[in-house]
Amino acid sequence: MLRVQISQLNRVLARSYATAAPPHALVFLEHRQGDLDSASLSALTAASQLGGQVTGLVVGSPEEVPSVVEKARRLNGLNTLLHCASPQYSTPLPETVSPLLEKLLSQNSPFTHVVSAHSSSAKSILPRVAAKLDVPAVSDITSLEHDAASGSTTFTRPIYAGNAISTVRASSSIPIKFFTVRSTAFAAAGAGDAAESEVKALDSVEVSDVPTEHISTSLTKSDRPDLGVASRVVSGGRALKNAETFQSTLYPLADALGAAVGASRAAVDAGYADNSLQVGQTGKVVAPELYMALGISGAIQHLAGMKDSKLIVAVNKDPDAPIFQVADVGLVADLFEVVPELVEKLKQ
């Protein structure tokens, strides 16, 4: 009888000290025209911080996938690279890509986490797959910490337009933890000469009667740096009066600084700039080394998209403009006098 009780006690103690399965993250790597998106490289960095294996997934057309795979396989932090090529993935749609992810994650899946950038495409795909698998998804995270002993992962994410930080813990009871990453919160993973991950091909999951059709993609072409990853950004607000004044005032300064051009929502709504240039809660979130806000009052929605910038310079005629509360350097002046003078000084 005593031996039976001791045996039972030993089993209880063994269960108490058992550790959870080590993390294994699947990173959805997005690409365009043969190049990996920089935001996906930030997602790879976040996945590496879990402290376990990292597998990448590249999905696309047969023409694009081979070149993307050659670049992705040399990324630091990537152990394995999965790829799937099919004409139906030429433009990844939630309705076509989701079944592939469901199949990959359903059949005795080794993955504990699914990670992607907080992009418009991933925001459509990942929650859809998570819902199919009956697990939650955490979006737009800015930090993470994985507890190897308990198998839980703790995230932080901004809420209320960045005025509060929410801490969310996904417990070990969640078999696969889905999350998207704010790219400005994590450095982009680089490629290493010695790094080369194992590459495996996947069979596509053909979907018939797709309810959604991709018609076209319209991209704003510019010789300036991409707004989402630029180290310097010059942004203008409604004070710039019209589209012509917006361009004639901001573009010379941006060119002199080698900066990207951004705009407030008010400027975009007024037609001064394309919506791809919008910075803010409903636009792009940026965190450059230098952010210049010209004629921008500083509405809370705009501040949510740029207040993590390293150096914020604001020019506004209104000394009570909210933008001055977050600015490192503020100048109460007429931007139409300041900007031309600044351009001349930079050219000297």
Side-chain angles (χ1 to χ4, degrees):
M1 182 65 179
L2 180 60
R3 286 195 297 270
V4 173
Q5 290 176 339
I6 291 175
S7 177
Q8 290 174 341
L9 178 61
N10 286 337
R11 284 198 296 268
V12 171
L13 290 174
R15 285 196 300 269
S16 300
Y17 288 97
T19 57
H24 188 167
L26 177 67
V27 184
F28 183 57
L29 297 172
E30 298 179 73
H31 56 91
R32 179 176 297 164
Q33 296 178 348
D35 293 322
L36 288 160
D37 285 353
S38 60
S40 289
L41 302 182
S42 297
L44 175 56
T45 298
S48 299
Q49 293 182 7
L50 292 168
Q53 294 284 309
V54 179
T55 296
L57 174 63
V58 173
V59 176
S61 67
E63 294 77 24
E64 287 191 350
V65 166
S67 62
V68 176
V69 167
E70 278 303 309
K71 296 173 184 177
R73 68 186 303 179
R74 293 181 172 83
L75 291 173
N76 292 322
L78 200 62
N79 303 110
T80 307
L81 180 62
L82 306 178
H83 63 90
C84 185
S86 170
Q88 71 173 351
Y89 301 142
S90 297
T91 303
L93 298 172
E95 292 84 354
T96 58
V97 177
S98 296
L100 174 65
L101 282 169
E102 288 175 46
K103 179 182 178 182
L104 188 60
L105 297 169
S106 298
Q107 300 173 346
N108 298 318
S109 171
F111 302 111
T112 59
H113 298 76
V114 179
V115 192
S116 78
H118 193 63
S119 63
S120 57
S121 176
K123 284 188 288 186
S124 299
I125 295 172
L126 259 65
R128 185 186 187 98
V129 178
K132 287 279 191 177
L133 299 177
D134 197 24
V135 294
V138 183
S139 63
D140 202 20
I141 67 121
T142 53
S143 73
L144 62 87
E145 183 177 352
H146 183 73
D147 184 355
S150 66
S152 64
T153 308
T154 303
F155 308 96
T156 60
R157 56 184 301 272
I159 57 175
Y160 301 125
N163 285 299
I165 300 296
S166 173
T167 301
V168 182
R169 183 164 71 175
S171 69
S172 58
S173 62
I174 301 173
I176 304 177
K177 302 166 181 63
F178 286 72
F179 64 94
T180 61
V181 172
R182 177 172 289 198
S183 59
T184 56
F186 298 88
D193 295 334
E196 189 163 323
S197 55
E198 182 183 4
V199 178
K200 297 179 181 178
L202 298 176
D203 293 329
S204 63
V205 178
E206 297 300 323
V207 180
S208 59
D209 301 324
V210 180
T212 304
E213 179 185 0
H214 176 259
I215 303 299
S216 64
T217 300
S218 299
L219 299 176
T220 302
K221 295 183 179 180
S222 174
D223 294 330
R224 299 183 183 87
D226 179 68
L227 177 60
V229 297
S231 61
R232 300 170 185 175
V233 175
V234 174
S235 284
R238 186 159 42 190
L240 285 155
K241 300 179 181 179
N242 54 53
E244 292 75 18
T245 307
F246 185 96
Q247 294 180 17
S248 62
T249 305
L250 260 62
Y251 286 11
L253 178 58
D255 292 339
L257 289 170
V261 173
S264 68
R265 178 171 178 172
V268 171
D269 288 347
Y272 301 175
D274 187 82
N275 58 11
S276 64
L277 302 182
Q278 183 177 326
V279 174
Q281 186 179 14
T282 54
K284 292 184 178 178
V285 176
V286 299
E289 296 294 327
L290 170 66
Y291 186 88
M292 297 192 71
L294 306 176
I296 295 175
S297 62
I300 188 172
Q301 292 86 355
H302 186 77
L303 299 183
M306 46 66 72
K307 66 181 182 180
D308 290 332
S309 303
K310 308 302 182 292
L311 178 65
I312 300 174
V313 177
V315 178
N316 201 297
K317 287 199 297 185
D318 181 6
D320 298 321
I323 191 69
F324 290 124
Q325 296 177 12
V326 299
D328 300 292
V329 179
L331 179 61
V332 179
D334 186 343
L335 70 89
F336 296 109
E337 297 176 359
V338 172
V339 174
E341 184 176 352
L342 185 57
V343 172
E344 287 301 318
K345 293 288 185 182
L346 290 169
K347 287 181 177 179
Q348 292 178 0

